[in-house]
């Protein structure tokens, strides 16, 4: 909404009162134009193409504003577009993708660019012991039918919800994480976190998955077991030795199908047990006192 001070409004009123009808019309049109300009300045569109150094489009790159809820994923052609509400000079655009180095650039500079090129990430494997895993197993939720909804306020981004897992292997490679939501909105964007556990709760600074991995999902009903969203982490070679880990889903944001009908996002629980959550990025983790957990299943090699 455009705010105009009382003094400014009084001045405008006097100008209109002392002008002819033709001039009044011009003044009013000028004021309308001013309001549109003011509104457009409050919201800025960021768009462009994410490319490799060889000019190939980078699909599924996570494009976000550091420490803010704004963000999206690049499409199959590497294109992205989203809006920022009143950007600040200190705002930073961050682009991440599997196999590429993270790109950080000030929003002021990003607004002047149409292409964003990522450097390939090369890992020096010399001196690294390569482990082979011959077995595969899954851990977590088993039941599919019973359901308990966890409503989630995706407007207050940074909120995170997940579970603690005990993995009875000395070393294992985490490949996939499946979860269930009941999403009556349009597209929703999620980010996954794999964290160390300290004193029975996740450690905010103990990220085991260093890359920012995001996932887009469309409207989903929890009863549709043919479309359970999953994070595929196989390309990250995430080999862990922690017996106890926390796996959490951060809600980046959702886009309603339309501006009339309300929409909701709920995480689904199918079995009795506890879940862990935090309401925003800076808050501490808490353990639920509910009888039902959230549906989450891990697939790993060991």
């Amino acid at each position: 909404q455009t705010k105009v001070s009382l003094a400014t409004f009084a001045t405008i009123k006097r100008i209109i009162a002392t002008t002819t009808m033709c001039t009044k019309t011009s003044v009013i049109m000028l004021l309308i134009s001013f309001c549109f300009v003011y509104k457009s300045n409050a919201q800025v569109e960021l768009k462009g193409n994410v490319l490799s150094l060889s000019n190939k489009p980078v699909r599924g790159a996570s494009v976000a504003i550091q420490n803010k809820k704004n963000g999206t994923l690049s499409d199959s052609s590497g294109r992205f577009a989203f809006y920022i509400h009143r950007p600040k000079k200190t705002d930073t655009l961050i682009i991440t993708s599997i196999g590429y180095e993270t790109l950080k650039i000030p929003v002021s500079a990003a607004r002047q660019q149409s292409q964003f090129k990522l450097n390939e990430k090369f890992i020096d494997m010399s001196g690294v012991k390569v482990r082979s895993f011959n077995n595969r197993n899954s851990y977590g939720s088993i039941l599919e039918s019973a359901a308990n909804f966890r409503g989630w306020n995706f407007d207050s981004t940074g909120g995170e919800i997940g579970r603690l897992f005990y993995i009875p292997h000395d070393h294992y490679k985490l490949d996939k994480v499946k979860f269930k939501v009941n999403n009556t909105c349009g597209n929703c964007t999620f980010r996954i976190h794999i964290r160390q556990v300290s004193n029975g709760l996740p450690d905010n600074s103990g990220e085991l998955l260093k890359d920012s991995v995001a996932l887009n999902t469309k409207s989903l009903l929890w009863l549709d077991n043919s479309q359970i969203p999953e994070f595929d982490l196989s390309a990250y070679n995430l080999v862990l030795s922690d017996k106890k880990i926390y796996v959490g889903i951060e809600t980046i944001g959702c886009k309603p199908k339309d501006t009339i009908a309300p929409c909701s996002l709920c995480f689904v629980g199918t079995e009795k047990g506890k879940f862990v959550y935090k309401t925003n990025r800076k808050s501490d983790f808490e353990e639920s006192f509910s009888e039902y957990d959230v549906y989450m299943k891990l697939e790993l090699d060991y």
Side-chain angles (χ1 to χ4, degrees):
Q1 293 181 348
T2 303
K3 296 181 180 179
V4 180
S5 67
L6 292 176
T8 303
F9 182 77
T11 302
I12 293 171
K13 189 176 179 180
R14 286 197 301 272
I15 293 173
I16 294 176
T18 56
T19 55
T20 64
M21 181 61 68
C22 181
T23 309
K24 284 181 181 179
T25 303
S26 300
V27 171
I28 292 171
M29 293 302 295
L30 181 62
L31 290 174
I32 293 173
S33 300
F34 169 77
C35 291
F36 277 112
V37 170
Y38 184 91
K39 186 174 182 179
S40 65
N41 285 338
Q43 189 164 264
V44 172
E45 184 180 27
L46 263 184
K47 60 182 179 179
N49 276 34
V50 183
L51 305 171
S52 66
L53 292 181
S54 57
N55 289 322
K56 292 182 179 179
V58 178
R59 178 182 182 180
S62 172
V63 187
I65 304 300
Q66 190 171 24
N67 299 325
K68 288 191 175 182
K69 67 180 181 180
N70 308 73
T72 186
L73 297 176
S74 60
D75 62 18
S76 58
S77 300
R79 291 190 294 265
F80 71 88
F82 66 99
Y83 286 92
I84 309 173
H85 183 67
R86 294 184 181 178
K88 299 179 181 178
K89 292 182 179 180
T90 55
D91 285 341
T92 301
L93 180 70
I94 299 180
I95 303 178
T96 60
S97 183
I98 300 173
Y100 295 91
E101 295 179 0
T102 299
L103 175 65
K104 294 184 179 182
I105 180 172
V107 168
S108 56
R111 291 176 61 184
Q112 310 301 319
Q113 293 184 207
S114 60
Q115 294 185 346
F116 301 85
K117 294 193 175 183
L118 303 182
N119 292 316
E120 290 188 34
K121 183 188 294 183
F122 296 98
I123 301 175
D124 183 7
M125 298 298 289
S126 60
V128 176
K129 183 178 180 180
V130 178
R131 298 182 182 276
S132 60
F133 301 98
N134 301 317
N135 303 294
R136 191 173 184 84
N137 207 345
S138 62
Y139 294 87
S141 301
I142 299 175
L143 298 180
E144 303 283 349
S145 56
N148 192 286
F149 286 0
R150 307 274 172 232
W152 204 247
N153 181 13
F154 53 79
D155 289 330
S156 300
T157 186
E160 191 176 324
I161 188 168
R163 286 175 55 176
L164 300 175
F165 289 86
Y166 174 76
I167 311 298
H169 305 297
D170 293 333
H171 294 90
Y172 53 94
K173 180 176 179 287
L174 185 56
D175 278 346
K176 291 184 178 180
V177 176
K178 298 182 179 181
F179 63 103
K180 272 194 173 186
V181 290
N182 197 74
N183 174 24
T184 63
C185 298
N187 284 339
C188 287
T189 304
F190 305 97
R191 179 181 292 129
I192 188 170
H193 294 273
I194 314 293
R195 301 182 188 272
Q196 292 177 321
V197 177
S198 177
N199 297 321
L201 287 174
D203 186 348
N204 265 319
S205 60
E207 287 273 10
L208 296 170
L209 177 62
K210 303 301 181 183
D211 295 271
S212 176
V213 184
L215 174 70
N216 250 351
T217 67
K218 297 181 179 179
S219 299
L220 287 172
L221 295 180
W222 74 271
L223 286 169
D224 187 359
N225 291 324
S226 65
Q227 296 186 27
I228 298 178
E230 67 175 36
F231 284 93
D232 188 350
L233 304 176
S234 55
Y236 290 87
N237 194 34
L238 187 59
V239 178
L240 305 174
S241 59
D242 300 67
K243 295 289 186 179
K244 206 167 190 178
I245 61 171
Y246 161 82
V247 181
I249 308 296
E250 176 189 357
T251 304
I252 303 299
C254 292
K255 294 180 180 178
K257 287 182 179 179
D258 52 61
T259 57
I260 301 175
C263 69
S264 66
L265 170 68
C266 297
F267 285 82
V268 177
T270 57
E271 298 166 63
K272 288 191 175 182
K274 294 183 178 181
F275 63 91
V276 179
Y277 69 97
K278 64 175 180 175
T279 55
N280 58 68
R281 285 194 180 98
K282 295 183 179 180
S283 63
D284 295 326
F285 279 100
E286 300 179 51
E287 191 174 46
S288 74
F289 293 98
S290 173
E291 292 185 354
Y292 281 85
D293 59 15
V294 290
Y295 180 96
M296 194 171 284
K297 185 177 289 186
L298 313 184
E299 291 186 7
L300 55 87
D301 297 327
Y302 64 96

